[in-house]
Amino acid sequence: MAKTDSTGSTWRPSAAPTWRYRWAHRQNERRQRTYRDAERAWRRRDDELRRLRAAAADFGRQATAGAGLPLELAPGERVFWALPAVQLVELRHTAVLPAPDLCVDPGRSALHHRRPDGVKVTDAGLAVLTDRRLVLLGGRGRRDWAYGRMTGLAHDPAAPVTLIQVLDRRRTSGLLLPADAAAEFRFTLTLAFAEAIEQRGAVLAQLDELIAEHDQTRPFRPAIATPAQARITSLVPGGRRTVAVPAAAALLVPVALFESDPPVRPGSDVAAAATAAPTPGAAVLPTARPGPTASPRPRHG
């Protein structure tokens, strides 16, 4: 009686499995392993996108009044996020940053805690995000970046550095955060800026589009391989390629022999050279055979 294992391969316990059944079992195991890895990666990104969508929809409801923070808030100002041990950085040269946008990119690569070239650390302290500004409470004083005065904003794609330009400050400055906290900071900063300019709906629409696009890439469960699909080439290490190379070489050998010069027998060159080829258009005269020699008649005299 035939049975089916967890991979979908059919086998017969009463008899030893043939090479076709072994091939189908290996193929189904490989296909299932590839599918499970792709499914896990797809689900991780799907969970992250939906988590961000829920956080953007509820943004502002978990804001606090900043109780316990060494920061004096304006009337009605709310705190969204706070993190200690953040470094203040400045650019050594003048640069023009792109205008702040509402782009959300949760699929970026992992960031490394390093300082890019041309960036120097000038202070460190507590970073606070409110509904009106980004503040760093450092050992040398306080640095503010008001959303209404931002003219440039750039996130380093390889390092957890965010640079900001404002109208009331000539030098470009920003924050260097711990690598594991940079993604949350950037997302919260984008939402806080969008909330300040009344464009949080644009962030929600962008996340909805990312979720819809991601749904189209969900991996399909693979088809089950059957023993009837096995080919004899699967018995050879390397499969069809290993068989195709000797077959192609076997086809090329007769062609090479046919195009090469024929073998020359000993003495044939001498015989060919001794036989003169007739000149085109010239008549070939037959060779006269010598007749019998007449003997001289005796003279009588």
Side-chain angles (χ1 to χ4, degrees):
M1 178 179 178
K3 295 183 178 181
T4 303
D5 60 10
S6 59
T7 62
S9 301
T10 304
W11 58 282
R12 299 175 181 177
S14 59
T18 63
W19 66 270
R20 293 183 180 273
Y21 286 93
R22 291 193 297 268
W23 174 88
H25 181 74
R26 290 194 302 269
Q27 285 291 320
N28 288 319
E29 280 192 339
R30 180 183 60 82
R31 294 179 184 182
Q32 290 295 327
R33 185 168 54 252
T34 303
Y35 167 74
R36 287 192 297 267
D37 293 342
E39 176 73 14
R40 281 194 294 266
W42 183 90
R43 194 167 296 278
R44 282 195 302 269
R45 177 167 172 80
D46 184 72
D47 294 342
E48 178 66 11
L49 289 174
R50 296 185 184 277
R51 183 188 69 84
L52 296 177
R53 175 63 172 77
D58 296 336
F59 188 73
R61 298 180 183 179
Q62 299 178 356
T64 64
L69 294 177
L71 175 64
E72 183 179 355
L73 299 176
E77 188 176 7
R78 298 173 299 165
V79 175
F80 294 142
W81 178 88
L83 182 69
V86 177
Q87 295 178 319
L88 174 66
V89 296
E90 292 183 350
L91 280 181
R92 293 189 176 93
H93 55 275
T94 304
V96 178
L97 301 181
D101 58 18
L102 304 179
C103 180
V104 179
D105 187 9
R108 289 183 176 178
S109 58
L111 303 176
H112 304 283
H113 188 80
R114 64 173 183 83
R115 189 171 69 252
D117 297 337
V119 174
K120 63 178 180 178
V121 177
T122 60
D123 201 355
L126 174 68
V128 181
L129 269 171
T130 74
D131 59 345
R132 303 182 186 182
R133 55 181 170 163
L134 168 63
V135 184
L136 180 72
L137 302 174
R140 298 182 179 180
R142 191 185 73 185
R143 181 69 60 92
D144 291 47
W145 296 271
Y147 302 142
R149 293 182 173 273
M150 280 188 183
T151 59
L153 177 66
H155 301 296
D156 193 294
V161 173
T162 296
L163 298 175
I164 306 172
Q165 287 178 338
V166 290
L167 290 172
D168 54 354
R169 191 177 300 116
R170 177 182 299 178
R171 186 178 296 273
T172 301
S173 58
L175 299 179
L176 172 60
L177 296 98
D180 55 352
E184 182 181 358
F185 163 75
R186 294 177 178 183
F187 181 70
T188 308
L189 177 60
T190 301
L191 287 177
F193 180 77
E195 185 76 9
I197 62 176
E198 300 180 354
Q199 290 294 325
R200 185 155 57 101
V203 178
L204 292 173
Q206 182 183 168
L207 289 171
D208 290 337
E209 184 178 355
L210 290 175
I211 293 174
E213 292 177 355
H214 185 63
D215 286 340
Q216 302 298 324
T217 62
R218 183 164 189 169
F220 292 96
R221 188 174 296 275
I224 297 177
T226 62
Q229 296 173 342
R231 297 294 180 264
I232 193 64
T233 54
S234 61
L235 295 175
V236 182
R240 296 182 178 180
R241 295 182 179 180
T242 306
V243 176
V245 172
L251 293 175
L252 291 176
V253 170
V255 176
L257 294 178
F258 178 78
E259 293 181 352
S260 61
D261 295 334
V264 180
R265 297 181 180 179
S268 59
D269 292 345
V270 178
T275 305
T279 305
V284 180
L285 300 178
T287 305
R289 296 181 179 180
T293 305
S295 57
R297 296 179 180 180
R299 296 179 179 180
H300 299 280

PDB file of all heavy atoms in Angstrom, residues 37-47 50 211 213-219:
ATOM      1  N   ASP A  37      11.393  29.254   4.193  1.00  0.00           N
ATOM      2  CA  ASP A  37      12.271  30.406   4.403  1.00  0.00           C
ATOM      3  C   ASP A  37      11.673  31.673   3.796  1.00  0.00           C
ATOM      4  O   ASP A  37      11.691  32.748   4.420  1.00  0.00           O
ATOM      5  CB  ASP A  37      13.647  30.128   3.783  1.00  0.00           C
ATOM      6  CG  ASP A  37      14.388  29.016   4.503  1.00  0.00           C
ATOM      7  OD1 ASP A  37      14.005  28.693   5.656  1.00  0.00           O
ATOM      8  OD2 ASP A  37      15.331  28.453   3.916  1.00  0.00           O
ATOM      9  N   ALA A  38      11.141  31.562   2.585  1.00  0.00           N
ATOM     10  CA  ALA A  38      10.529  32.730   1.942  1.00  0.00           C
ATOM     11  C   ALA A  38       9.282  33.183   2.686  1.00  0.00           C
ATOM     12  O   ALA A  38       9.022  34.384   2.821  1.00  0.00           O
ATOM     13  CB  ALA A  38      10.203  32.407   0.485  1.00  0.00           C
ATOM     14  N   GLU A  39       8.508  32.245   3.205  1.00  0.00           N
ATOM     15  CA  GLU A  39       7.289  32.593   3.952  1.00  0.00           C
ATOM     16  C   GLU A  39       7.627  33.322   5.247  1.00  0.00           C
ATOM     17  O   GLU A  39       6.956  34.301   5.618  1.00  0.00           O
ATOM     18  CB  GLU A  39       6.492  31.315   4.242  1.00  0.00           C
ATOM     19  CG  GLU A  39       5.259  31.512   5.096  1.00  0.00           C
ATOM     20  CD  GLU A  39       4.123  32.204   4.354  1.00  0.00           C
ATOM     21  OE1 GLU A  39       4.193  32.300   3.115  1.00  0.00           O
ATOM     22  OE2 GLU A  39       3.170  32.636   5.037  1.00  0.00           O
ATOM     23  N   ARG A  40       8.667  32.875   5.938  1.00  0.00           N
ATOM     24  CA  ARG A  40       9.060  33.550   7.182  1.00  0.00           C
ATOM     25  C   ARG A  40       9.534  34.977   6.911  1.00  0.00           C
ATOM     26  O   ARG A  40       9.191  35.913   7.646  1.00  0.00           O
ATOM     27  CB  ARG A  40      10.144  32.745   7.894  1.00  0.00           C
ATOM     28  CG  ARG A  40       9.625  31.541   8.664  1.00  0.00           C
ATOM     29  CD  ARG A  40      10.686  31.002   9.592  1.00  0.00           C
ATOM     30  NE  ARG A  40      11.813  30.455   8.850  1.00  0.00           N
ATOM     31  CZ  ARG A  40      11.941  29.183   8.521  1.00  0.00           C
ATOM     32  NH1 ARG A  40      10.986  28.313   8.871  1.00  0.00           N
ATOM     33  NH2 ARG A  40      12.994  28.753   7.861  1.00  0.00           N
ATOM     34  N   ALA A  41      10.362  35.147   5.860  1.00  0.00           N
ATOM     35  CA  ALA A  41      10.829  36.497   5.525  1.00  0.00           C
ATOM     36  C   ALA A  41       9.674  37.403   5.123  1.00  0.00           C
ATOM     37  O   ALA A  41       9.629  38.579   5.509  1.00  0.00           O
ATOM     38  CB  ALA A  41      11.867  36.417   4.403  1.00  0.00           C
ATOM     39  N   TRP A  42       8.740  36.868   4.357  1.00  0.00           N
ATOM     40  CA  TRP A  42       7.577  37.671   3.942  1.00  0.00           C
ATOM     41  C   TRP A  42       6.729  38.061   5.146  1.00  0.00           C
ATOM     42  O   TRP A  42       6.266  39.197   5.243  1.00  0.00           O
ATOM     43  CB  TRP A  42       6.734  36.870   2.955  1.00  0.00           C
ATOM     44  CG  TRP A  42       5.565  37.632   2.424  1.00  0.00           C
ATOM     45  CD1 TRP A  42       5.504  38.421   1.323  1.00  0.00           C
ATOM     46  CD2 TRP A  42       4.243  37.688   3.020  1.00  0.00           C
ATOM     47  NE1 TRP A  42       4.255  38.965   1.178  1.00  0.00           N
ATOM     48  CE2 TRP A  42       3.464  38.538   2.201  1.00  0.00           C
ATOM     49  CE3 TRP A  42       3.667  37.107   4.135  1.00  0.00           C
ATOM     50  CZ2 TRP A  42       2.125  38.807   2.476  1.00  0.00           C
ATOM     51  CZ3 TRP A  42       2.334  37.382   4.430  1.00  0.00           C
ATOM     52  CH2 TRP A  42       1.587  38.217   3.601  1.00  0.00           C
ATOM     53  N   ARG A  43       6.525  37.148   6.076  1.00  0.00           N
ATOM     54  CA  ARG A  43       5.682  37.438   7.239  1.00  0.00           C
ATOM     55  C   ARG A  43       6.335  38.450   8.174  1.00  0.00           C
ATOM     56  O   ARG A  43       5.649  39.276   8.784  1.00  0.00           O
ATOM     57  CB  ARG A  43       5.366  36.141   7.992  1.00  0.00           C
ATOM     58  CG  ARG A  43       4.253  36.271   8.997  1.00  0.00           C
ATOM     59  CD  ARG A  43       3.798  34.911   9.469  1.00  0.00           C
ATOM     60  NE  ARG A  43       3.222  34.152   8.377  1.00  0.00           N
ATOM     61  CZ  ARG A  43       1.971  34.306   7.959  1.00  0.00           C
ATOM     62  NH1 ARG A  43       1.192  35.223   8.512  1.00  0.00           N
ATOM     63  NH2 ARG A  43       1.504  33.563   6.983  1.00  0.00           N
ATOM     64  N   ARG A  44       7.669  38.400   8.290  1.00  0.00           N
ATOM     65  CA  ARG A  44       8.342  39.391   9.130  1.00  0.00           C
ATOM     66  C   ARG A  44       8.124  40.800   8.604  1.00  0.00           C
ATOM     67  O   ARG A  44       7.829  41.719   9.367  1.00  0.00           O
ATOM     68  CB  ARG A  44       9.845  39.077   9.206  1.00  0.00           C
ATOM     69  CG  ARG A  44      10.206  37.954  10.156  1.00  0.00           C
ATOM     70  CD  ARG A  44      11.684  37.957  10.443  1.00  0.00           C
ATOM     71  NE  ARG A  44      12.493  37.819   9.239  1.00  0.00           N
ATOM     72  CZ  ARG A  44      12.907  36.655   8.751  1.00  0.00           C
ATOM     73  NH1 ARG A  44      12.580  35.524   9.376  1.00  0.00           N
ATOM     74  NH2 ARG A  44      13.644  36.608   7.653  1.00  0.00           N
ATOM     75  N   ARG A  45       8.284  40.980   7.302  1.00  0.00           N
ATOM     76  CA  ARG A  45       8.067  42.304   6.730  1.00  0.00           C
ATOM     77  C   ARG A  45       6.600  42.708   6.807  1.00  0.00           C
ATOM     78  O   ARG A  45       6.287  43.884   7.052  1.00  0.00           O
ATOM     79  CB  ARG A  45       8.559  42.346   5.291  1.00  0.00           C
ATOM     80  CG  ARG A  45       8.310  43.687   4.596  1.00  0.00           C
ATOM     81  CD  ARG A  45       9.062  43.809   3.303  1.00  0.00           C
ATOM     82  NE  ARG A  45       8.680  45.005   2.574  1.00  0.00           N
ATOM     83  CZ  ARG A  45       9.133  46.225   2.820  1.00  0.00           C
ATOM     84  NH1 ARG A  45       9.994  46.395   3.809  1.00  0.00           N
ATOM     85  NH2 ARG A  45       8.750  47.261   2.106  1.00  0.00           N
ATOM     86  N   ASP A  46       5.700  41.761   6.626  1.00  0.00           N
ATOM     87  CA  ASP A  46       4.280  42.074   6.712  1.00  0.00           C
ATOM     88  C   ASP A  46       3.911  42.530   8.125  1.00  0.00           C
ATOM     89  O   ASP A  46       3.156  43.504   8.299  1.00  0.00           O
ATOM     90  CB  ASP A  46       3.457  40.851   6.311  1.00  0.00           C
ATOM     91  CG  ASP A  46       1.972  41.137   6.274  1.00  0.00           C
ATOM     92  OD1 ASP A  46       1.535  41.847   5.356  1.00  0.00           O
ATOM     93  OD2 ASP A  46       1.243  40.668   7.176  1.00  0.00           O
ATOM     94  N   ASP A  47       4.429  41.840   9.133  1.00  0.00           N
ATOM     95  CA  ASP A  47       4.160  42.240  10.516  1.00  0.00           C
ATOM     96  C   ASP A  47       4.722  43.626  10.807  1.00  0.00           C
ATOM     97  O   ASP A  47       4.089  44.428  11.517  1.00  0.00           O
ATOM     98  CB  ASP A  47       4.748  41.217  11.483  1.00  0.00           C
ATOM     99  CG  ASP A  47       4.057  39.859  11.397  1.00  0.00           C
ATOM    100  OD1 ASP A  47       2.927  39.808  10.865  1.00  0.00           O
ATOM    101  OD2 ASP A  47       4.654  38.861  11.840  1.00  0.00           O
ATOM    102  N   ARG A  50       2.500  46.349   9.116  1.00  0.00           N
ATOM    103  CA  ARG A  50       1.227  46.517   9.805  1.00  0.00           C
ATOM    104  C   ARG A  50       1.410  47.136  11.190  1.00  0.00           C
ATOM    105  O   ARG A  50       0.541  47.872  11.676  1.00  0.00           O
ATOM    106  CB  ARG A  50       0.503  45.178   9.902  1.00  0.00           C
ATOM    107  CG  ARG A  50       0.123  44.625   8.519  1.00  0.00           C
ATOM    108  CD  ARG A  50      -0.694  43.354   8.594  1.00  0.00           C
ATOM    109  NE  ARG A  50      -0.943  42.825   7.260  1.00  0.00           N
ATOM    110  CZ  ARG A  50      -1.914  43.240   6.444  1.00  0.00           C
ATOM    111  NH1 ARG A  50      -2.733  44.211   6.848  1.00  0.00           N
ATOM    112  NH2 ARG A  50      -2.065  42.705   5.246  1.00  0.00           N
ATOM    113  N   ILE A 211       1.769  48.044   2.084  1.00  0.00           N
ATOM    114  CA  ILE A 211       1.145  46.785   2.490  1.00  0.00           C
ATOM    115  C   ILE A 211       0.494  46.091   1.300  1.00  0.00           C
ATOM    116  O   ILE A 211       0.595  44.867   1.132  1.00  0.00           O
ATOM    117  CB  ILE A 211       0.129  47.047   3.611  1.00  0.00           C
ATOM    118  CG1 ILE A 211       0.852  47.499   4.889  1.00  0.00           C
ATOM    119  CG2 ILE A 211      -0.704  45.806   3.895  1.00  0.00           C
ATOM    120  CD1 ILE A 211      -0.086  47.917   6.004  1.00  0.00           C
ATOM    121  N   GLU A 213       1.297  46.393  -1.896  1.00  0.00           N
ATOM    122  CA  GLU A 213       2.353  45.870  -2.772  1.00  0.00           C
ATOM    123  C   GLU A 213       2.987  44.625  -2.180  1.00  0.00           C
ATOM    124  O   GLU A 213       3.334  43.686  -2.911  1.00  0.00           O
ATOM    125  CB  GLU A 213       3.410  46.955  -3.001  1.00  0.00           C
ATOM    126  CG  GLU A 213       2.934  48.133  -3.828  1.00  0.00           C
ATOM    127  CD  GLU A 213       3.994  49.195  -3.963  1.00  0.00           C
ATOM    128  OE1 GLU A 213       5.073  49.039  -3.328  1.00  0.00           O
ATOM    129  OE2 GLU A 213       3.773  50.177  -4.689  1.00  0.00           O
ATOM    130  N   HIS A 214       3.153  44.611  -0.870  1.00  0.00           N
ATOM    131  CA  HIS A 214       3.761  43.441  -0.233  1.00  0.00           C
ATOM    132  C   HIS A 214       2.848  42.225  -0.308  1.00  0.00           C
ATOM    133  O   HIS A 214       3.334  41.080  -0.412  1.00  0.00           O
ATOM    134  CB  HIS A 214       4.101  43.771   1.216  1.00  0.00           C
ATOM    135  CG  HIS A 214       4.839  42.673   1.917  1.00  0.00           C
ATOM    136  ND1 HIS A 214       6.084  42.239   1.519  1.00  0.00           N
ATOM    137  CD2 HIS A 214       4.509  41.914   2.996  1.00  0.00           C
ATOM    138  CE1 HIS A 214       6.488  41.269   2.310  1.00  0.00           C
ATOM    139  NE2 HIS A 214       5.558  41.047   3.210  1.00  0.00           N
ATOM    140  N   ASP A 215       1.535  42.431  -0.276  1.00  0.00           N
ATOM    141  CA  ASP A 215       0.602  41.309  -0.399  1.00  0.00           C
ATOM    142  C   ASP A 215       0.750  40.596  -1.737  1.00  0.00           C
ATOM    143  O   ASP A 215       0.514  39.380  -1.828  1.00  0.00           O
ATOM    144  CB  ASP A 215      -0.838  41.806  -0.237  1.00  0.00           C
ATOM    145  CG  ASP A 215      -1.168  42.136   1.216  1.00  0.00           C
ATOM    146  OD1 ASP A 215      -0.456  41.648   2.118  1.00  0.00           O
ATOM    147  OD2 ASP A 215      -2.129  42.909   1.448  1.00  0.00           O
ATOM    148  N   GLN A 216       1.128  41.324  -2.764  1.00  0.00           N
ATOM    149  CA  GLN A 216       1.286  40.721  -4.089  1.00  0.00           C
ATOM    150  C   GLN A 216       2.526  39.844  -4.192  1.00  0.00           C
ATOM    151  O   GLN A 216       2.665  39.087  -5.163  1.00  0.00           O
ATOM    152  CB  GLN A 216       1.344  41.820  -5.160  1.00  0.00           C
ATOM    153  CG  GLN A 216       0.114  42.716  -5.189  1.00  0.00           C
ATOM    154  CD  GLN A 216      -1.157  41.960  -5.506  1.00  0.00           C
ATOM    155  OE1 GLN A 216      -1.144  41.026  -6.306  1.00  0.00           O
ATOM    156  NE2 GLN A 216      -2.261  42.359  -4.883  1.00  0.00           N
ATOM    157  N   THR A 217       3.430  39.950  -3.247  1.00  0.00           N
ATOM    158  CA  THR A 217       4.684  39.188  -3.308  1.00  0.00           C
ATOM    159  C   THR A 217       4.689  37.982  -2.384  1.00  0.00           C
ATOM    160  O   THR A 217       5.744  37.381  -2.174  1.00  0.00           O
ATOM    161  CB  THR A 217       5.872  40.099  -2.943  1.00  0.00           C
ATOM    162  OG1 THR A 217       5.719  40.563  -1.585  1.00  0.00           O
ATOM    163  CG2 THR A 217       5.933  41.296  -3.876  1.00  0.00           C
ATOM    164  N   ARG A 218       3.545  37.617  -1.841  1.00  0.00           N
ATOM    165  CA  ARG A 218       3.501  36.467  -0.933  1.00  0.00           C
ATOM    166  C   ARG A 218       3.851  35.190  -1.682  1.00  0.00           C
ATOM    167  O   ARG A 218       3.318  34.919  -2.759  1.00  0.00           O
ATOM    168  CB  ARG A 218       2.110  36.331  -0.304  1.00  0.00           C
ATOM    169  CG  ARG A 218       2.019  35.204   0.711  1.00  0.00           C
ATOM    170  CD  ARG A 218       0.795  35.321   1.571  1.00  0.00           C
ATOM    171  NE  ARG A 218       0.830  34.376   2.671  1.00  0.00           N
ATOM    172  CZ  ARG A 218      -0.014  34.396   3.705  1.00  0.00           C
ATOM    173  NH1 ARG A 218      -0.957  35.337   3.743  1.00  0.00           N
ATOM    174  NH2 ARG A 218       0.088  33.511   4.675  1.00  0.00           N
ATOM    175  N   PRO A 219       4.775  34.394  -1.170  1.00  0.00           N
ATOM    176  CA  PRO A 219       5.198  33.184  -1.897  1.00  0.00           C
ATOM    177  C   PRO A 219       4.087  32.145  -1.952  1.00  0.00           C
ATOM    178  O   PRO A 219       3.296  32.000  -1.014  1.00  0.00           O
ATOM    179  CB  PRO A 219       6.400  32.689  -1.078  1.00  0.00           C
ATOM    180  CG  PRO A 219       6.217  33.274   0.286  1.00  0.00           C
ATOM    181  CD  PRO A 219       5.532  34.591   0.088  1.00  0.00           C
TER     182      PRO A 219
END
